[in-house]
Amino acid sequence: MAYPYKKMTSQDCDYIRSVTAPDRVWVGEEIASEYYRDEMPEYGVYQPDLYVEVVNKEEVSAIMAYAYKENIPVVCRGAGTGLAGGATCKYGGIMLSIMRMNKIFPIDRKNQTITAQPGALLIDIQAAAAAGGLFYPPDPGEKTASIGGNVITNAGGMKAVRYGLTRDFVRCIEAVMPDGSIMNFSSNVVKNTTGYDVKDLIIGSEGTLCILTEVTLKLLPAPTCTCTLVMPFKSLEECADMVPKVLELPFVPTAIEFLERELIDIVERNLNKMFPVKEGEAVLIVMYDASSKQELDSAVEAAAEAALANGALDCAIAGTPERAGAVWSVRGGILEGMKADSVAQEECDVVVPRARIAEYVKAAKKIASAHGIRVEPCGHCGDGNIHTEMLRGPEMSDEEWKAATHASLTELYALSKELGGQLSGEHGIGNGRLEFLEEFVGPRMIQLYKSIKLAFDDKLILNPGKVIEFNK
């Protein structure tokens, strides 16, 4: 067993400097505290022994080969925008940043793909695709996340209803293994049944199996027309009931989101972003993409008629980029708005069957309220992924907040399981949801997870203590 890991010495630090550069290595107290955690400090704040910024795969390989030999844990970090405590040095050791590895290569037009290093930002990948008249659909809320982080967490987002998750757009991966060897998983081909599909196993593995150094992504022709509809309803139940009605239409929506009025008010009050529709206690936001105006008009007309026939107070059509931008700006400002409206936040990122959304949300509010916590659910109701945002008020002590959130999470995850859901829809397990995993998947699955981890990382040095825990 690898644990306890080696505590780094000055000789170890000197070696890392020798294979990188002294001005890209920080040790001990030199390391900025922002690198001790991700966007959810509630899931762990840990100081690395050494922080290094790498610039190529050869440096990554040299560091991993040395760490493997010396039994030093390594955590790879992208932009640090994760929400599960995944990019934290739970056992000290090396934090390896890939953010200087941010090159985006020219689009391969024949294969309709784009290749990038892992530190390239999602927003820049999307812009490069658009500049070439193409489209990279995965659209998680945090556009400044690194593409490597998106891949190893299998990021989803609002457009997953029509286009799927990050996994659906990864053609091939270049990665460094824990022992320093450089591997390629698949190639730039449309289909592949050559052996086990290890590539898809790496996607979503949260940095516990290998370190991505390059990824090739599938692109699509850019839609020529898009439109956003806002359907206000008297209640959340009516709003949620509209979701299957939208999905029954002969037009596949790009995104289906729900917001309750209270959450809209938080964003308007704290960020001064005004939502253009004032009616309703809950609103359904539906987006359509199309290749022609005729196709788009048909989709919008069908959705509007269905909304009004099923209890919507109105159906506002945000047909211009400015109006649609106002709608999505409020949706995108939720996390920032909640941070401004509370002392701290905790999130339960479950996914439930779409038919059980309203049932889950009503029960979630009762659960959190019983523990003295304000809760604001929102989410991607097209795929049942509900973000149950818990907000801490100034009256709660640290001890009260910790106890109340843990009790709430325990009940919320049990509720999700009871409704046929899963532990996490898109934020992953990381460190934050680790204790709840076995209850969902069972002991036999945990054994499989451990076997997979050992097959890649027999010394357990890569992002240890995340997703699956050996060192208890």
Side-chain angles (χ1 to χ4, degrees):
M1 187 64 68
Y3 184 78
Y5 299 102
K6 177 184 179 182
K7 180 69 175 176
M8 293 189 74
T9 66
S10 59
Q11 289 80 11
D12 297 324
C13 298
D14 286 342
Y15 178 81
I16 301 303
R17 292 187 185 98
S18 74
V19 296
T20 56
D23 63 346
R24 291 189 275 114
V25 176
W26 292 262
V27 176
E29 297 304 316
E30 300 171 354
I31 304 171
S33 60
E34 66 188 270
Y35 300 120
Y36 295 4
R37 59 174 179 82
D38 64 7
E39 282 293 312
M40 288 295 288
E42 286 79 7
Y43 294 155
V45 178
Y46 307 100
Q47 181 177 357
D49 298 326
L50 178 147
Y51 173 79
V52 55
E53 295 179 345
V54 294
V55 297
N56 55 49
K57 63 184 176 184
E58 289 78 16
E59 290 185 353
V60 178
S61 176
I63 291 170
M64 289 310 307
Y66 184 82
Y68 184 83
K69 178 171 70 76
E70 296 295 329
N71 198 44
I72 299 170
V74 180
V75 175
C76 182
R77 179 186 174 95
T81 58
L83 297 169
T88 56
C89 290
K90 194 172 178 178
Y91 295 97
I94 298 169
M95 174 163 280
L96 186 152
S97 169
I98 46 79
M99 290 308 289
R100 293 199 190 204
M101 293 178 62
N102 56 13
K103 184 175 181 180
I104 300 174
F105 298 92
I107 288 174
D108 179 345
R109 293 190 174 278
K110 290 184 178 180
N111 287 302
Q112 288 195 326
T113 58
I114 190 168
T115 299
Q117 293 179 320
L121 299 185
L122 169 63
I123 191 172
D124 294 331
I125 296 282
Q126 292 172 330
L134 295 169
F135 177 42
Y136 180 66
D139 194 38
E142 182 51 77
K143 304 300 186 295
T144 59
S146 66
I147 195 64
N150 276 193
V151 171
I152 60 96
T153 58
N154 191 27
M158 292 176 277
K159 296 180 180 178
V161 182
R162 176 168 184 152
Y163 297 110
L165 306 175
T166 299
R167 172 176 282 115
D168 300 302
F169 290 87
V170 176
R171 281 279 175 85
C172 52
I173 289 171
E174 176 191 82
V176 173
M177 301 295 286
D179 64 359
S181 57
I182 300 173
M183 298 280 291
N184 287 284
F185 299 94
S186 194
S187 59
N188 194 1
V189 293
V190 175
K191 58 183 178 180
N192 179 13
T193 58
T194 309
Y196 295 123
D197 195 347
V198 180
K199 169 182 69 70
D200 270 12
L201 186 60
I202 291 169
I203 301 165
S205 63
E206 302 185 42
T208 62
L209 303 183
C210 57
I211 297 177
L212 273 64
T213 52
E214 196 171 279
V215 60
T216 297
L217 304 164
K218 178 179 74 173
L219 302 177
L220 298 178
T224 57
C225 307
T226 186
C227 187
T228 294
L229 292 79
V230 181
M231 306 168 182
F233 290 87
K234 293 178 181 178
S235 68
L236 174 65
E237 288 83 358
E238 288 182 298
C239 185
D241 287 344
M242 185 62 207
V243 175
K245 303 296 183 183
V246 172
L247 294 169
E248 288 169 3
L249 298 173
F251 306 96
V252 180
T254 299
I256 312 177
E257 301 284 307
F258 81 86
L259 291 177
E260 291 190 274
R261 181 59 56 181
E262 188 175 353
L263 194 48
I264 294 172
D265 292 342
I266 286 176
V267 175
E268 290 185 335
R269 181 169 65 248
N270 290 285
L271 305 183
N272 199 33
K273 294 182 176 182
M274 297 296 110
F275 197 72
V277 176
K278 304 304 179 184
E279 301 93 343
E281 289 304 307
V283 300
L284 199 66
I285 307 172
V286 181
M287 174 192 285
Y288 286 101
D289 290 339
S291 57
S292 70
K293 188 176 185 304
Q294 181 180 0
E295 179 188 353
L296 184 66
D297 289 345
S298 297
V300 168
E301 182 179 354
E305 288 179 357
L308 296 173
N310 286 276
L313 301 174
D314 193 4
C315 185
I317 299 174
T320 67
E322 294 76 19
R323 287 180 62 82
V327 172
W328 292 109
S329 178
V330 171
R331 173 62 184 88
I334 285 174
L335 185 59
E336 186 182 355
M338 289 188 298
K339 285 182 177 181
D341 208 60
S342 58
V343 176
Q345 306 80 39
E346 174 66 275
E347 180 180 313
C348 177
D349 165 48
V350 299
V351 58
V352 298
R354 290 182 296 220
R356 313 299 292 272
I357 290 173
E359 186 178 352
Y360 170 82
V361 171
K362 287 177 66 177
K365 288 188 171 186
K366 290 180 180 178
I367 288 170
S369 178
H371 294 288
I373 295 178
R374 180 166 55 120
V375 66
E376 298 292 348
C378 63
H380 316 311
C381 51
D383 51 27
N385 185 192
I386 310 302
H387 301 304
T388 315
E389 311 286 358
M390 289 171 274
L391 308 183
R392 176 181 172 180
E395 74 286 351
M396 297 188 78
S397 67
D398 291 346
E399 294 75 18
E400 289 171 334
W401 169 248
K402 185 175 181 179
T405 52
H406 188 273
S408 297
L409 286 170
T410 301
E411 293 186 48
L412 289 168
Y413 291 139
L415 171 64
S416 173
K417 185 178 181 183
E418 179 186 336
L419 297 178
Q422 289 292 328
L423 182 61
S424 176
E426 62 183 359
H427 293 164
I429 304 302
N431 187 52
R433 299 175 180 86
L434 191 58
E435 66 177 287
F436 303 102
L437 182 60
E438 186 168 354
E439 180 66 26
F440 262 88
V441 302
R444 185 67 182 94
M445 186 65 76
I446 294 295
Q447 288 180 349
L448 287 176
Y449 289 167
K450 287 184 175 181
S451 298
I452 291 167
K453 171 67 172 173
L454 288 168
F456 279 80
D457 182 14
D458 60 316
K459 287 194 173 182
L460 307 176
I461 62 167
L462 194 51
N463 205 8
K466 315 296 172 54
V467 183
I468 190 72
E469 177 68 281
F470 286 80
N471 307 323
K472 292 183 179 179

